[in-house]
Amino acid sequence: MERTLFDPVHNDFRDSVREFVRRNVVSEYERWESAGLVDRELWKQAGEAGFLGTAVPTGYGGGGEPDFRYNAVLVEEFARAGALSLSSGFGLHNDVVAPYLLELATEEQKRRWLPGFCSGDLVTAIAMTEPGAGSDLKAVRTTAVRDGDHYVLNGSKTFITNGIHADLVIVVAKTDPSAGARGISLLVVERDMPGFRRGRNLAKAGMHSQDTAELVFEDVRVPAANLLGEENQGFGYLMRNLPQERLSIAVVAVAAAQAALEWTVRYCRERRAFGQEIGRFQNSRFRLAEMATEIEIAQTYVDRAVLELNAGTLSPVDAAKAKWWTTELMKRTADDCLQLHGGYGYMDEYPISRFWRDARIHTIFGGTTEIMKEIIGRDLGF
């Protein structure tokens, strides 16, 4: 079926992203995977190309296009190139952090942060997860105590995407520990603030070039001017922005699954066994047919969700459906495509090997499959 989500201007944008990937990513990606992070220069190159802050008004240096289809094109092209670490890192910057800055920042904060956000001079992260608090955000133990014109921030975070490169980190902290979810606030910590330090660039099963770090805050004096939104309203802000984050992950999942299917179809035409292409065996044909059907159906739902998001009508429940279904599909596709590659699929010289490793985390971050089903189940009245 013809995909009708995009207009010609989005297709032109896709051509630009694809050329950027060809020139700046493909030849360097293996080196970044070995190093455990991409070159910082890539962020500035992306900024120069106009790929950062597409939704940010032009007055702050952005693209002035609050149309999520541009965001989708960017992460899709990274995913289709097998560069899922970039889909994650740049997706976090554009799709997750940007809404907080656009919706909650004061005019002074916007002028201070958004130009660098769009140019790539300021890389961003959001610090929610703690060693003892993952899906349960109400259980965060990081605290921020008001002291005059500052908050004194103490705590630690883990699994933070962009954590090594980040210049601005939105930190989820308790400003009123006795109030539970109603005592959470968002504070923006800047790179050189005394007491803010980075722990390890965490070694992971996959997504090797996506810098994922531990962050530590020891008596960090954060100016009250860096409070994002209102004090003790942070939990509501987090819940409001989660649907876009989850849709972004779903967009990546479907694009990556489609890429894996295309690699595998090509391999099944090239690889021969028992005198014929392996794709001609009934088991291979049936499994390829199943994947092609599942991916196209998933794409249809995700494209509809993108339009709903643009219209401001995407519900948390529909976003949860998109997130869990597509990431589980991504995981199944990775496994089945590797199986069809046989022993060669387990070798790193084939892109399916890295995809198989990288796919696994997608059913976990941004809300686990189990949490997504809980959201949907509660909506059903249970």
Side-chain angles (χ1 to χ4, degrees):
M1 296 174 68
E2 181 182 1
R3 193 178 181 197
T4 59
L5 176 64
F6 301 107
D7 296 331
V9 67
H10 302 109
N11 295 328
D12 291 342
F13 185 72
R14 186 182 299 279
D15 290 341
S16 298
V17 176
R18 195 167 290 176
E19 177 62 16
F20 178 87
V21 170
R22 186 190 68 79
R23 286 188 291 104
N24 298 292
V25 174
V26 173
S27 64
E28 302 294 332
Y29 199 71
E30 288 297 335
R31 179 173 64 82
W32 296 336
E33 286 281 283
S34 297
L37 76 173
V38 304
D39 291 344
R40 180 57 187 259
E41 184 62 24
L42 183 70
W43 285 91
K44 293 186 178 181
Q45 292 169 341
E48 291 171 2
F51 301 152
L52 303 180
T54 52
V56 174
T58 56
Y60 304 110
E65 291 287 353
D67 178 350
F68 192 77
R69 289 178 290 181
Y70 289 100
N71 303 50
V73 166
L74 183 66
V75 295
E76 281 184 351
E77 288 305 310
F78 286 141
R80 286 173 176 158
L84 284 170
S85 292
L86 300 187
S87 294
S88 177
F90 284 84
L92 186 283
H93 188 79
N94 277 339
D95 304 347
V96 181
V97 174
Y100 289 96
L101 298 180
L102 290 173
E103 296 168 13
L104 302 176
T106 65
E107 181 62 25
E108 185 276 330
Q109 289 171 335
K110 289 178 180 178
R111 294 197 179 280
R112 189 154 39 111
W113 295 327
L114 287 178
F117 180 99
C118 298
S119 69
D121 290 307
L122 295 180
V123 177
T124 61
I126 185 165
M128 300 186 202
T129 303
E130 297 181 359
S135 298
D136 185 8
L137 287 174
K138 291 179 287 188
V140 297
R141 299 179 64 183
T142 298
T143 60
V145 178
R146 186 68 182 254
D147 181 22
D149 293 334
H150 291 78
Y151 289 89
V152 180
L153 183 67
N154 282 283
S156 62
K157 301 289 184 177
T158 193
F159 308 149
I160 306 306
T161 300
N162 294 344
I164 299 299
H165 279 318
D167 304 287
L168 295 179
V169 182
I170 299 175
V171 179
V172 178
K174 288 278 184 69
T175 40
D176 184 354
S178 66
R182 296 183 178 180
I184 290 176
S185 299
L186 306 181
L187 292 170
V188 179
V189 174
E190 301 178 57
R191 172 177 285 276
D192 295 325
M193 288 183 174
F196 169 38
R197 61 182 176 86
R198 298 156 214 272
R200 297 173 296 157
N201 185 8
L202 297 167
K204 307 182 295 297
M207 309 278 279
H208 292 158
S209 54
Q210 204 297 297
D211 53 310
T212 307
E214 299 170 324
L215 304 180
V216 179
F217 310 96
E218 296 177 335
D219 292 328
V220 181
R221 294 186 64 81
V222 182
N226 281 26
L227 175 69
L228 200 57
E230 297 181 20
E231 188 177 281
N232 297 327
Q233 299 300 309
F235 188 78
Y237 300 146
L238 294 168
M239 294 303 101
R240 191 168 74 201
N241 284 314
L242 281 172
Q244 178 163 311
E245 176 181 359
R246 288 167 178 163
L247 178 58
S248 176
I249 295 170
V251 168
V252 170
V254 177
Q258 179 64 38
L261 175 62
E262 291 170 3
W263 301 333
T264 305
V265 167
R266 186 162 55 246
Y267 180 82
C268 287
R269 289 188 178 127
E270 296 169 353
R271 179 69 171 166
R272 298 180 66 84
F274 303 102
Q276 63 179 347
E277 299 171 1
I278 63 172
R280 295 190 177 277
F281 291 104
Q282 187 182 66
N283 178 71
S284 301
R285 288 201 310 272
F286 279 16
R287 191 63 203 107
L288 291 169
E290 290 166 4
M291 287 189 283
T293 303
E294 291 171 341
I295 291 167
E296 187 164 342
I297 290 172
Q299 187 72 78
T300 301
Y301 185 91
V302 168
D303 286 356
R304 172 64 183 271
V306 168
L307 294 177
E308 294 282 337
L309 180 71
N310 272 353
T313 56
L314 180 66
S315 72
V317 173
D318 288 340
K321 291 175 181 176
K323 199 275 177 182
W324 90 259
W325 178 259
T326 59
T327 56
E328 292 290 343
L329 171 62
M330 181 191 197
K331 187 172 70 172
R332 291 197 306 275
T333 302
D335 201 59
D336 288 344
C337 286
L338 188 146
Q339 187 73 20
L340 286 170
H341 277 74
Y344 287 107
Y346 204 63
M347 301 295 109
D348 281 349
E349 63 190 274
Y350 284 83
I352 197 64
S353 171
R354 184 169 63 227
F355 172 65
W356 180 68
R357 295 194 306 268
D358 290 351
R360 186 62 187 86
I361 188 61
H362 289 72
T363 61
I364 299 172
F365 65 17
T368 65
T369 292
E370 293 74 22
I371 293 294
M372 298 303 97
K373 291 179 178 179
E374 185 70 19
I375 292 168
I376 298 162
R378 289 180 182 179
D379 184 64
L380 295 173
F382 297 101

